[in-house]
Amino acid sequence: MAACFHRPAPPARMRPILSAAALLTVLALPVSAQEPSHIPVPVPPPDPSSAAELIPPLAPAGPRPLAEIQGVIDTVDSQILGLLNQRAALTAEALQRVEPDKAQPGGFQPGRQAALLRRLAVDNRGPLPSTALARIWTEIIGASIRVEQTLTVAFAGHETIAAPLAVEYFGTGMTMVRARTPDALLEMVATDQAHVGVVELDSGDDSNRWWRRLLEPVNGRRLRVVARLPFLPPAPGHVRATGFVVAPFDADPSGRDRLLLAVDADSGTSAKAAGTALGVLGWRGVSVLDQGDIDSGRGFLVEADKPETLPPEPDPASGVLWRVVAVGGYAAPLTAGE
């Protein structure tokens, strides 16, 4: 049985902005999830003028002594610290301005986060690789949000796969709760025992395809897939696995999004035949991610480009498909070339 949690009451005042320990977390990027430190630090008000200050040039004419270079690094580190805390303060202010009926649990906005990481990849001129910057910003985003709100993430699947997928996507400042099965994870999210859940696509139980449960409300609540993991290209030597984030809300748009479809078809239908039939209906960019037998037929989990207008429903009397249902939508993950 998965553990439950009790969400703390909102604090009477803003919790401390990024502590020294949290800053080290941002820069060191440890792989284990743990609660951030709460050592009080004076919070300076955001100072727009400081962002415009010139950072000392990194490549002046002629070589510089090592001590001078190290001094410049110290100056840059101080500027980074000030800007990170300004960003955290602005994030806290923004979260307080969100209308209650539009607020997402835990301040999680998967579409906005994806759009930001894409923009950074486009703007980056090096020498740091874009994937490294994206991982740093993942920690910055998570740490900034957690100043005001707590995010509890349930995970299910192989512990050595599902848990790292969650940490890489949400950062290390979240509270993690293990669910024994994907079904238990869905129940936890539906009953507010967790804000969101991370479930591995191949959870090790072929007889129970968890995504089929998204076709109907779970405990009276509609759950959706709002992100595909990993969002960033896997680092060399890392496990290449697929996971999804499940939440009780739809993902906000990112500007380049995909839909996740549950497709029912005739028994014996192949993945190729299902993809062809979807193409005839008007679906584009079709990719079959999972499949399995269902009552008197075959079920497929399919990713497709998000269309401006949904294609027509299939006609069971004239084709192999019975129905096509969107069970989620999310930002297209970054590719190695971005």
Side-chain angles (χ1 to χ4, degrees), residues 43-281:
V43 181
D47 180 7
S49 64
S50 64
E53 293 178 3
L54 294 178
I55 292 176
L58 299 179
R64 286 183 289 184
L66 176 60
E68 181 181 339
I69 297 173
Q70 291 174 334
V72 173
I73 291 175
D74 291 342
T75 299
V76 172
D77 285 341
S78 296
Q79 292 176 336
I80 291 174
L81 175 60
L83 291 172
L84 286 177
N85 278 313
Q86 285 187 34
R87 189 191 193 285
L90 290 169
T91 299
E93 182 180 357
L95 290 172
Q96 294 171 351
R97 298 294 185 271
V98 176
E99 298 177 19
D101 60 335
K102 296 181 180 179
Q104 303 289 31
F108 173 45
Q109 293 182 283
R112 176 171 169 77
Q113 178 169 327
L116 169 60
L117 296 181
R118 283 201 202 108
R119 178 171 60 80
L120 291 174
V122 170
D123 293 345
N124 181 36
R125 297 295 180 267
L128 287 177
S130 294
T131 51
L133 288 174
R135 287 182 169 85
I136 292 171
W137 247 266
T138 296
E139 286 288 346
I140 292 172
I141 293 168
S144 297
I145 290 174
R146 254 67 91 196
V147 166
E148 277 293 299
Q149 302 185 12
T150 298
L151 182 71
T152 299
V153 179
F155 68 95
H158 302 91
E159 188 167 7
T160 56
I161 296 176
L165 283 174
V167 172
E168 183 180 83
Y169 184 73
F170 288 102
T172 57
M174 61 185 166
T175 298
M176 294 185 67
V177 184
R178 183 173 186 180
R180 295 181 60 186
T181 65
D183 277 353
L185 178 143
L186 297 180
E187 293 288 342
M188 291 176 68
V189 176
T191 57
D192 290 329
Q193 297 176 59
H195 292 110
V196 296
V198 171
V199 57
E200 190 182 350
L201 175 59
D202 181 9
S203 59
D205 185 359
D206 291 337
S207 65
N208 181 20
R209 302 196 178 276
W210 57 268
W211 47 268
R212 299 289 305 175
R213 288 201 67 190
L214 301 182
L215 290 165
E216 303 293 339
V218 178
N219 239 317
R221 201 165 187 187
R222 178 175 171 267
L223 301 183
R224 315 297 287 169
V225 171
V226 299
R228 177 176 173 173
L229 307 182
F231 181 75
L232 305 177
H238 286 212
V239 175
R240 295 178 178 268
T242 299
F244 295 97
V245 178
V246 180
F249 53 83
D250 290 309
D252 51 316
S254 75
R256 192 168 82 240
D257 300 294
R258 308 272 282 164
L259 284 181
L260 193 65
L261 310 173
V263 178
D264 293 349
D266 292 339
S267 180
T269 301
S270 66
K272 182 177 180 180
T276 299
L278 287 167
V280 170
L281 288 175

Side-chain angles (χ1 to χ4, degrees), residues 19-32:
S19 64
L23 179 63
L24 289 176
T25 297
V26 170
L27 299 178
L29 295 179
V31 296
S32 60

Side-chain angles (χ1 to χ4, degrees), residues 263-264 277-278 281 283 311-324:
V263 178
D264 293 349
L278 287 167
L281 288 175
W283 291 98
E313 291 290 326
D315 181 3
S318 60
V320 299
L321 303 184
W322 302 351
R323 66 171 176 171
V324 177

